[in-house]
Amino acid sequence: MDAAFTEEQHEIRRTLRELLLKRCGPDEVKAAVRTPAGYDTQLWQQLAGRLGLPGLALPTAYGGVGCGPTELALACEETGRAVLPSPLMATAALAAPLILALGSERQRTAWLPALAAGQLTATLAVPGGRLATALALTGPNDGGWAGGGRAGGIQARRAPQECEAVPSKNGGRPAGGGWRLYGEAGQVLNGHTAEVLVVAAHTGGFAHSRTLLFLVRAAAGGGDARSGTEPGVPGLLRTRQTALDETRPQARLELRDVPAELLGEGDGDEAAVAGALAATGVTAAAALAAEAVGAADSALARTVAHVQQREQFGRPIGSFQAVQHRLADLYVRLQAARSAAYYAAWSAGGGLSAPGGAAGPYGAAEPGVGALALAQALESLRAVAAEAVQLHGGIGFTWEHEAHLYFKRAACDELLLGPVHRLRARAAEEAGLFPDGAEEPGGAGEPGRSGEPAGAPGRTAAVEV
């Protein structure tokens, strides 16, 4: 493994950092999150057009830059440093990799170039707030998390034949591809503005239960938030939700017989869907870990600058050894998290530079590496953000202070793909730290003394040590 970054990777970081320093200060962030879209659409277009940010990890054959997860993680580190509100995570780390991995050639050609150019944004909608489960970050994703054949979740059914014959505006293909979706999903990242929805839905009823992914063209135009039935999309209701972290806008989607198209060819392959979601989970975990590292680095730098200027008892408070020790501990945790995030991104790319024309995953990542890196990064960001509030003193406790941007990002990121102890438990399970016969009394697959199943999060303490 060559740990040194290439000149191209350094250039991506430098260019993005310079642009965000000019366009994305704390005041600009607070103004952007209060717009209907929840982010600065002009800045997003500049990032897409000038840097090709949404297409950074997409092959050149589909309009992307042709880089890989490492470059995407480096970009996310810089966006995290600025606490940038944008659809980057939803589009580039969640939706686009799934379309690339599972989509037919027609679907890839139709959607990926527009996503790479920033003309469209996309997101992944998972019912029940089970995004971490769907991505296999906190447990196996082979269960009925999308509905399970019972009430709740999102259900998919084939449309009547007369509906399949209705032409659509999208290249003359049948509207919705012969499927209809019914259900609800909450906590969907950028769900109120995304033009392309990748929806996880259950189909087949109880006897032939399976979870597949579907494409929904959610809006004819882009950018404006809505609360109401979409024009041209019958049955789709999107409502922006109030979130603690305003820089990560979320929405609730209600689907009432919404036309959809199956992602992929044929009748769908549940095993392939589960595998693609798990591979996407590793990339998304590495990107989110790098973003958390960038946010923690920025919060620590601001805190160090403050303690060097703030005086108490006739001297800067940063000169007191107790404060220095606290900052030194944070620095060590931050560097450990950065190394873990970089390694996870490298592993997500198969340990190789991404080939520009590849049409699928670059290789199998090391088991548990994404979840473990994300757990390390989230813990580091939480610790740094809490100390930033404390060491800023009275001003740090005011809701308007910029320290709260990092504090709220730390809290909501763990809710999004955590919690940390379940990430670590899943990483231990994938890495085989608890092989068959080496578990608590009860044996492999048997309930332990506490009545929990083997490999349950209750044994996290052993992993954390």
Side-chain angles (χ1 to χ4, degrees), residues 263-285:
L263 181 59
E265 297 178 324
D267 292 331
D269 185 347
E270 185 180 27
V273 169
L277 283 168
T280 300
V282 177
T283 301

Side-chain angles (χ1 to χ4, degrees), residues 281-310:
V282 177
T283 301
L288 192 65
E291 192 181 67
V293 166
D297 193 14
S298 179
L300 182 58
R302 292 178 182 274
T303 304
V304 170
H306 175 77
V307 300
Q308 289 175 338
Q309 298 174 0
R310 177 75 169 91

Side-chain angles (χ1 to χ4, degrees), residues 54-154:
L56 202 58
L58 289 177
T60 55
Y62 300 109
V65 179
C67 296
T70 300
E71 288 77 11
L72 179 60
L74 292 177
C76 288
E77 183 180 359
E78 296 306 318
T79 61
R81 191 185 306 275
V83 201
L84 173 71
S86 77
L88 176 63
M89 191 65 64
T91 300
L94 293 177
L98 291 171
I99 297 176
L100 179 63
L102 296 174
S104 64
E105 185 61 29
R106 175 185 62 78
Q107 290 170 334
R108 293 173 184 170
T109 304
W111 301 116
L112 292 180
L115 294 176
Q119 299 170 1
L120 298 175
T121 60
T123 190
L124 172 63
V126 175
R130 300 172 182 172
L131 181 60
T133 303
L135 297 177
L137 292 174
T138 56
N141 65 350
D142 54 356
W145 47 268
R150 297 175 292 275
I154 299 178

Side-chain angles (χ1 to χ4, degrees), residues 184-202:
E184 180 178 313
Q187 297 177 310
V188 180
L189 291 181
N190 297 97
H192 62 300
T193 56
E195 291 95 347
V196 180
L197 303 177
V198 180
V199 183
H202 175 267

Side-chain angles (χ1 to χ4, degrees), residues 278-380:
T280 300
V282 177
T283 301
L288 192 65
E291 192 181 67
V293 166
D297 193 14
S298 179
L300 182 58
R302 292 178 182 274
T303 304
V304 170
H306 175 77
V307 300
Q308 289 175 338
Q309 298 174 0
R310 177 75 169 91
E311 292 189 0
Q312 191 68 31
F313 304 108
R315 55 190 288 193
I317 61 175
S319 64
F320 293 106
Q321 196 173 52
V323 175
Q324 293 174 355
H325 286 172
R326 292 167 73 174
L327 293 174
D329 288 341
L330 294 178
Y331 180 78
V332 171
R333 297 183 69 165
L334 173 60
Q335 293 306 318
R338 176 176 280 120
S339 297
Y342 288 169
Y343 183 77
W346 178 82
S347 180
L352 300 172
S353 299
Y362 306 123
E366 184 176 338
V369 66
L372 199 57
L374 182 56
Q376 182 88 357
L378 292 178
E379 277 193 336
S380 298

Side-chain angles (χ1 to χ4, degrees), residues 144-207:
W145 47 268
R150 297 175 292 275
I154 299 178
Q155 306 295 329
R157 64 177 178 84
R158 289 191 179 276
Q161 292 296 323
E162 59 269 19
C163 295
E164 296 184 14
V166 178
S168 77
K169 299 178 181 179
N170 189 8
R173 291 183 296 274
W179 290 86
R180 296 293 184 268
L181 304 181
Y182 192 96
E184 180 178 313
Q187 297 177 310
V188 180
L189 291 181
N190 297 97
H192 62 300
T193 56
E195 291 95 347
V196 180
L197 303 177
V198 180
V199 183
H202 175 267
T203 186
F206 184 80

